[in-house]
């Protein structure tokens, strides 16, 4: 088959099985857009800002497990995409971002809309390529998809100069079936000796703890994780990125850990003697003060990226490998039904954990006259039967969604954990809805975050993507306000979002339905109404308590046992707890 | 501790900046870095001298290995190895006596006078970083006009090797 560069690009995407490309046109990609126009296999979704394209592709990838694909023009198109690329990078999400570039003879001449896209994105991609010859285009794209989706996934940028896509020059095209890179060979199988050592440690544990993260989701290893955890009978906690990989309603689940994790999860981390860490990267929001992290524990760490192991916390038994493979091996090695663990010790440990649990650290005032944000999430959970895909922005609302929506399945909780990118929620929800048109998709957001990519309401209209926006409108950058209350003597410097738009009218002006909810009694009705509109985007503007804080909270640089608790909760405050 | 890392990389534009970028982005220190093609035109070989605690060196090695352009890497300092660096040093000499003096300093260190013009001599010296440092320190500071050093390159002794 003889094709020009633009046709090769589009044909390749088709052959690679790409359903959607999220993009925005411009000079350097006009040839490609012309090729897109002449076919209907690869569907293009026109966003309203390139940041939106990357987040939408990212949401699609997180929900479906397939790589998200983005197409933007050179210069400002590429720079606008950078935030979304970095967002995907920090959460290890597979994206292939195709950026247009000025024609090769002009590279380096400060040509119109020229930026060094490969240089700008280098620190926030898994890898990137500049395609200098059209003969290399298909093979390079193949490498890009391979690198993005294998091993520890991540975004890959392919920078394509305009002359490479010249419609006038045709060359033979064949879909490259094979790809091999001599310098890139991700490990999958764990070392059998290390697995045996881990088993020995797990069997001897008196106060064990399982801590898992996004790697379990990325590895599609939920079933294996559930099987292993049930076999061991250990308590399990998930990071913000790992939620849903283990069912939140299971009785061995003790909630999220870390800065806004539950009392029981953090206390169990602090007191455990053996920690089994799986596909998690010991982020500082999770570990708190490193010197006080799991002070008594021997640590086993399963991760596909050797660089994640012993990066922040030195571990005792590293196992480099794919979670799915390693968990399968662990289950096999454990053999007998109960895995031969110390059940007497475990029983005692569970009594302690249940005591911690009994403090019910996530309590809030249920009799309040103002809408409590936690209440909205609880109702959202009820009304969607726990089955919705929930995306979020960044702030307090994100933490409440994580704490109060009990995710029982992986890939349902979609948020920016590593970069913490405000503006992520809405475009991500659109990507999710494209991947799962028949499922409920909710975007939990705040009045500050939503304004960072609000323009995508227009995209939602154009493609009929009836997601539900749950705006927890507290009139503040709540998360910032909370820190200022705690650590800056309530000096609320520039955290008040003044001059807010009327979100109801705003939604309506985009052609959607907007509803403002001011009383707790109206929360349930509004949610039911919104989810009743199967084919309309509904923007729910909940006016919530302006002063509510996220609890528990571990201040940056403190240990797991030094939590601030809500006044509603009777658990000992950090100052009262013995600071061992 | 000082470590000499030896890397085989894809001989592609951008590979060098990935390595340099990694060091600056993660705040690792680079003492010297040299890179040149090998007998295989698709590969270039880099020698990188860095310092850090064992934990930092471990991270540096893991992060370098993660770069898609890095084909293979060894830490030369883990075994017996040869380290060599080339230096050219231009020294001002007032008279014949001083020139002879420089010659006497250079020779036992394997140095050669590669240029004598006007009132300057240029010495070429090959050795370990320490040897070159020692030579510089033995010359009167104010008489040094300029020095240029290649940075260390190295190779393992015996059968240990870095090849694909
Ligand atoms: C406002 C705010 C508050 C936050 N508060 C908290 C908090 O209280 N608690 C919390 O947990 N987080 C919190 N976070 C998120 C935090 O910043 C990190 O993003 C998160 O903790 C990282 O999760 P993770 O360790 O699961 O790593 P991820 O970023 O999900 O990384 C996945 C790990 O798994 C590995 N991996 C990937 N694929 C595989 C595979 N196939 N096999 C094996 N390993 C694999 C990767 O190499 C990596 O090490 C907060 C974020 C924000 C924005
Ligand atoms: C792009 C970006 N800028 C700044 C921040 C810092 N930041 C984190 S949370 C937050 C406030 C979010 O406010 P809102 O969306 O109203 O959510 P709330 O905390 O009130 O629920 C800010 C400014 C960020 N995470 N992302
Ligand atoms: Mg707010």
């Amino acid at each position: 088959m003889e094709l020009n560069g633009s046709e090769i690009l589009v044909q390749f995407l088709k052959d690679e099985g790409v359903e959607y490309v999220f993009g925005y046109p411009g000079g350097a990609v006009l040839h490609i857009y012309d090729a897109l126009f002449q076919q209907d296999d690869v569907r293009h979704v026109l966003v309203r800002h390139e940041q939106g394209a990357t987040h939408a592709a990212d949401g699609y990838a997180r929900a479906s497990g397939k790589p998200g694909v983005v197409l933007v023009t050179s210069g400002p198109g590429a720079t606008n995409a950078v935030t979304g690329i970095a967002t995907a990078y920090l959460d290890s999400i597979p994206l292939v971002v195709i950026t247009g570039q000025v024609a090769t003879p002009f590279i380096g001449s400060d040509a119109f809309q020229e930026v060094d896209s490969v240089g700008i994105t280098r620190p926030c991609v898994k890898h990137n390529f500049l395609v200098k010859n059209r003969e290399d285009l298909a093979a390079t794209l193949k490498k890009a998809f391979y690198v993005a989706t294998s091993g520890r996934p991540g975004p890959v940028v392919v920078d394509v100069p305009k002359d490479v896509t010249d419609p006038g020059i045709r060359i033979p095209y064949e879909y490259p079936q094979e790809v091999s890179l001599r310098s890139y060979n991700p490990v999958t199988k764990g070392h059998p000796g290390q697995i045996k050592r881990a088993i020995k440690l797990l069997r001897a544990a008196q106060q064990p703890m399982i801590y898992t993260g996004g790697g379990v989701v990325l590895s599609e290893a939920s079933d294996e994780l559930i099987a292993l955890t049930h076999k061991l009978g250990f308590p399990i906690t998930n990071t913000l990125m790992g939620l849903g990989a283990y069912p939140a309603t299971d009785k061995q689940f003790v909630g999220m850990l870390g800065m806004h994790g539950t009392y029981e999860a953090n206390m169990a981390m602090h007191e455990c003697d053996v920690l089994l860490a799986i596909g998690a990267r010991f982020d500082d929001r999770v570990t708190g003060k490193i010197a006080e992290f799991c002070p008594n524990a021997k640590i086993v760490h399963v991760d596909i990226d050797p660089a994640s192991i012993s990066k922040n916390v030195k571990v005792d038994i590293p196992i480099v490998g794919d979670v799915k493979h390693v968990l399968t091996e662990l289950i096999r090695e454990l053999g007998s039904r109960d895995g031969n663990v110390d059940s007497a010790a475990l029983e005692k440990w569970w009594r302690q954990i249940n005591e911690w649990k009994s403090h019910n650290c996530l309590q809030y005032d249920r009799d309040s006259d103002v809408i409590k944000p936690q209440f909205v999430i609880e109702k959202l959970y009820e009304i969607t039967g726990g089955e919705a895909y929930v995306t979020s922005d960044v702030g307090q609302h994100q933490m409440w969604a994580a704490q109060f929506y009990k995710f029982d399945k992986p890939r349902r909780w979609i948020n920016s954990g590593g970069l913490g990118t405000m503006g992520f929620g809405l475009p991500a929800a659109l990507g999710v809805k494209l991947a799962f048109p028949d499922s409920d998709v909710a975007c939990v957001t705040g009045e500050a975050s939503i304004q960072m990519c609000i323009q995508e309401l227009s995209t939602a209209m154009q493609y009929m993507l009836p997601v539900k926006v749950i705006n927890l409108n507290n009139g503040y950058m709540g998360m910032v306000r909370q820190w200022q209350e705690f650590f800056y003597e309530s000096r609320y410097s520039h955290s008040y979002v003044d001059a807010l738009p009327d979100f109801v009218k705003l939604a309506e002006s985009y052609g959607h339905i907007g509803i403002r909810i001011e009383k707790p009694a109206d929360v349930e009705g509004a949610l039911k109404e919104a989810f009743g509109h199967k084919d309309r985007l509904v923007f729910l503007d909940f006016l919530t308590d302006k002063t509510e804080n996220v609890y528990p909270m571990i201040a940056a640089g403190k240990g797991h046992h030094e939590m601030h608790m809500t006044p509603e909760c009777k658990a000992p405050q950090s100052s009262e707890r013995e600071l061992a | 501790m000082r470590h000499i890392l030896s890397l085989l990389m894809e001989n592609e534009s951008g590979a060098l900046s990935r390595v340099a970028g990694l060091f600056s982005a993660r705040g690792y220190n680079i003492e010297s870095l040299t890179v040149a093609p090998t007998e295989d035109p698709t590969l270039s070989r880099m020698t990188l001298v860095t310092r850090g605690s064992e934990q930092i060196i471990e991270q540096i090695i893991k992060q370098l290995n993660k770069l898609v352009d890095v084909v293979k890497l060894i830490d030369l300092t883990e075994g017996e190895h040869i380290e060599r660096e080339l230096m050219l040093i231009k020294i001002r000499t007032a008279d014949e006596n001083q020139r002879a003096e420089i010659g006497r300093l250079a020779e036992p260190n394997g140095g050669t006078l590669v240029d004598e013009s006007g009132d300057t001599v240029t010495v070429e010296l090959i050795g370990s970083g320490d040897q070159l440092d020692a030579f510089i320190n033995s010359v009167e500071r104010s008489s040094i006009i300029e020095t240029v050093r290649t940075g260390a390159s190295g190779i393992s002794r015996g059968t240990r090797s870095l090849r694909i």
Side-chain angles (χ1 to χ4, degrees):
Chain A
M1 191 164 25
E2 294 250 313
L3 299 176
N4 69 44
S6 297
E7 290 165 344
I8 288 175
L9 195 148
V10 174
Q11 183 63 37
F12 173 87
L13 295 178
K14 183 184 159 192
D15 293 345
E16 186 67 24
V18 173
E19 284 177 289
Y20 292 105
V21 173
F22 300 86
Y24 207 91
V29 287
L30 280 181
H31 298 328
I32 302 171
Y33 270 82
D34 197 46
L36 275 172
F37 188 78
Q38 301 179 35
Q39 55 86 52
D40 352 87
D41 297 307
V42 180
R43 282 137 85 189
H44 179 267
V45 178
L46 177 69
V47 293
R48 297 300 181 269
H49 185 299
E50 288 87 350
Q51 182 184 349
T54 50
H55 292 331
D58 181 325
Y60 173 89
R62 291 183 202 231
S64 69
K66 295 184 235 170
V69 182
V70 176
L71 173 61
V72 297
T73 193
S74 66
T79 54
N80 271 351
V82 170
T83 299
I85 295 170
T87 302
Y89 180 64
L90 278 236
D91 290 342
S92 306
I93 304 303
L95 290 189
V96 173
V97 180
I98 299 164
T99 52
Q101 184 53 279
V102 302
T104 46
F106 294 99
I107 288 179
S109 69
D110 299 322
F112 178 62
Q113 295 195 325
E114 178 183 3
V115 294
D116 176 8
S117 298
V118 165
I120 285 176
T121 59
R122 189 180 299 119
C124 59
V125 292
K126 184 169 171 188
H127 196 56
N128 58 19
F129 300 93
L130 170 64
V131 183
K132 289 193 193 125
N133 304 302
R134 89 179 46 73
E135 288 73 17
D136 299 336
L137 182 58
T140 306
L141 286 166
K142 185 70 194 174
K143 284 182 193 163
F145 277 83
Y146 171 58
V147 171
T149 52
S150 55
R152 178 180 184 168
V156 174
V157 166
V158 184
D159 201 24
V160 184
K162 190 166 184 180
D163 50 334
V164 169
T165 60
D166 186 338
I169 305 170
R170 288 171 189 281
I171 56 167
Y173 165 80
E174 204 181 322
Y175 174 68
Q177 298 285 351
E178 303 271 292
V179 58
S180 85
L181 283 148
R182 61 179 171 185
S183 57
Y184 174 76
N185 300 295
V187 192
T188 50
K189 288 214 175 67
H191 191 282
Q194 294 294 80
I195 290 174
K196 289 217 169 66
R197 285 178 62 206
I199 298 266
K200 225 169 134 192
L201 195 63
L202 295 174
R203 285 199 167 126
Q206 306 290 296
Q207 307 194 150
M209 185 69 177
I210 303 176
Y211 142 61
T212 77
V216 180
V217 179
L218 294 164
S219 176
E220 308 284 0
S222 235
D223 291 345
E224 290 78 2
L225 179 64
I226 294 167
L228 177 73
T229 308
H230 284 169
K231 200 182 248 303
L232 291 168
F234 294 177
I236 177 169
T237 180
N238 291 166
T239 67
L240 183 72
M241 299 312 295
L243 293 175
Y246 192 85
T249 53
D250 184 280
K251 63 181 191 317
Q252 283 168 254
F253 187 63
V254 297
M256 182 171 85
L257 83 164
M259 182 172 274
H260 293 298
T262 64
Y263 183 64
E264 50 272 28
N266 287 334
M267 290 304 285
M269 289 294 287
H270 192 68
E271 299 288 336
C272 72
D273 68 345
V274 169
L275 181 69
L276 174 57
I278 306 170
R281 59 183 173 85
F282 294 80
D283 182 79
D284 54 80
R285 301 264 130 158
V286 163
T287 59
K289 188 175 180 182
I290 296 282
E292 286 175 20
F293 177 76
C294 297
N296 311 314
K298 288 256 180 279
I299 305 177
V300 180
H301 186 191
V302 182
D303 203 291
I304 203 162
D305 179 2
S308 273
I309 294 179
S310 293
K311 180 170 66 177
N312 301 333
V313 173
K314 189 111 187 88
V315 305
D316 302 281
I317 305 183
I319 305 178
V320 178
D322 177 33
V323 168
K324 204 177 178 79
H325 276 83
V326 175
L327 295 192
T328 306
E329 283 306 298
L330 281 170
I331 293 166
R332 212 169 53 88
E333 283 286 328
L334 276 170
S336 74
R337 263 184 67 79
D338 65 354
N340 240 335
V341 295
D342 188 336
S343 38
L346 209 50
E347 203 175 304
K348 197 166 149 223
W349 178 226
W350 270 111
R351 269 201 300 280
Q352 171 67 74
I353 289 171
N354 287 330
E355 194 273 320
W356 288 326
K357 235 182 193 168
S358 70
H359 293 298
N360 193 6
C361 66
L362 296 180
Q363 281 175 73
Y364 63 90
D365 177 9
R366 286 167 193 278
D367 306 319
S368 163
D369 300 337
V370 286
I371 299 175
K372 289 287 180 178
Q374 300 96 324
F375 177 67
V376 179
I377 305 294
E378 281 186 344
K379 285 292 159 199
L380 174 68
Y381 174 72
E382 276 174 38
I383 283 160
T384 55
E387 289 285 323
Y389 286 84
V390 179
T391 72
S392 98
D393 268 302
V394 174
Q396 292 182 315
H397 61 272
Q398 177 186 23
M399 294 298 110
W400 287 316
Q403 291 174 333
F404 288 87
Y405 200 100
K406 300 187 203 61
F407 294 95
D408 277 346
K409 292 183 188 151
R411 300 196 177 280
R412 298 291 165 116
W413 166 236
I414 285 160
N415 80 135
S416 164
L419 198 67
T421 310
M422 291 169 69
F424 175 81
L426 176 61
L430 304 184
V432 175
K433 190 71 185 171
L434 282 163
F436 295 101
D438 300 328
S439 299
D440 284 331
V441 179
C443 164
V444 174
T445 184
E447 77 297 328
S449 291
I450 191 68
Q451 293 190 74
M452 287 217 179
C453 274
I454 192 91
Q455 73 285 347
E456 301 308 331
L457 283 175
S458 173
T459 309
M461 194 63 206
Q462 180 173 348
Y463 296 92
M464 294 297 185
L465 300 171
V467 304
K468 311 299 176 230
V469 179
I470 315 291
N471 189 30
L472 300 180
N473 185 345
N474 52 8
Y476 276 102
M477 296 173 194
M479 185 57 90
V480 174
R481 192 203 55 75
Q482 176 169 348
W483 282 60
Q484 290 171 334
E485 178 185 330
F486 286 11
F487 309 120
Y488 298 88
E489 298 170 320
S490 298
R491 288 186 297 278
Y492 297 130
S493 177
H494 303 280
S495 53
Y496 183 69
V497 183
D498 222 345
L500 286 177
D502 177 334
F503 286 109
V504 170
K505 284 193 188 144
L506 183 67
E508 285 170 359
S509 81
Y510 277 107
H512 303 305
I513 299 171
I515 306 175
R516 180 165 304 112
I517 305 96
E518 299 179 52
K519 292 200 294 286
D522 298 335
V523 168
E524 185 163 348
L527 282 165
K528 279 193 173 142
E529 183 186 342
F531 283 94
H533 289 290
K534 288 288 167 210
D535 52 359
R536 298 292 298 278
L537 185 151
V538 184
F539 192 114
L540 295 164
D541 188 27
F542 291 97
L543 303 190
T544 60
D545 189 341
K546 289 179 184 300
T547 58
E548 189 63 37
N549 288 325
V550 182
Y551 292 107
M553 177 172 185
I554 302 174
K558 297 284 185 181
H560 276 152
H561 56 307
E562 300 175 87
M563 282 167 275
H564 289 280
M565 308 298 291
T566 167
E568 307 286 317
C569 172
K570 302 290 171 290
Q573 293 292 330
S574 82
S575 56
E576 300 162 23
R577 269 190 297 272
E578 194 190 334
L579 302 183
Chain B
M1 252 269 281
R2 180 171 179 270
H3 286 252
I4 308 174
L5 308 181
S6 213
L7 290 76
L8 281 177
M9 305 190 310
E10 295 292 351
N11 190 6
E12 276 175 21
S13 69
L16 175 61
S17 46
R18 284 183 216 282
V19 172
L22 174 73
F23 274 71
S24 65
R26 293 188 183 264
Y28 304 143
N29 116 357
I30 301 188
E31 208 169 278
S32 72
L33 181 161
T34 75
V35 60
T38 64
E39 74 285 359
D40 175 347
T42 67
L43 287 173
S44 56
R45 179 152 171 165
M46 176 184 283
T47 310
L48 210 154
V49 181
T50 181
R51 275 175 200 278
S53 65
E54 284 314 301
Q55 202 205 338
I56 289 178
I57 299 296
E58 186 184 322
Q59 259 302 306
I60 290 177
I61 292 174
K62 286 171 168 180
Q63 293 291 350
L64 284 168
N65 268 317
K66 231 172 115 168
L67 294 176
V68 172
D69 286 336
V70 171
V71 183
K72 218 166 172 190
L73 179 161
I74 56 170
D75 182 350
L76 287 179
T77 24
E78 270 181 358
E80 294 267 317
H81 64 279
I82 299 155
E83 175 191 343
R84 288 289 184 276
E85 181 173 356
L86 169 74
M87 173 169 73
L88 297 171
I89 178 166
K90 189 181 288 179
I91 302 163
R92 193 185 324 278
T93 47
D95 50 37
E96 214 30 67
N97 270 347
Q98 277 190 1
R99 268 193 279 278
E101 172 65 21
I102 296 292
R104 273 196 298 280
L105 274 175
E107 257 160 48
N109 292 306
T112 37
L113 298 187
V114 287
D115 183 48
E116 292 184 56
S117 9
D119 61 351
T120 71
V121 293
T122 299
V123 178
E124 176 193 291
L125 204 67
I126 294 170
S128 70
D130 287 346
Q131 286 170 316
L132 303 191
D133 289 342
F135 182 80
I136 293 175
N137 289 333
S138 68
V139 178
E140 165 63 35
R141 190 81 176 77
S142 62
S143 67
I144 299 176
I145 300 169
E146 55 176 325
T147 59
V148 53
R149 299 170 63 156
T150 57
S153 53
I155 199 162
S156 314
R157 285 188 188 273
T159 48
R160 191 168 179 247
S161 63
L162 176 64
R163 54 201 300 249
I164 54 168

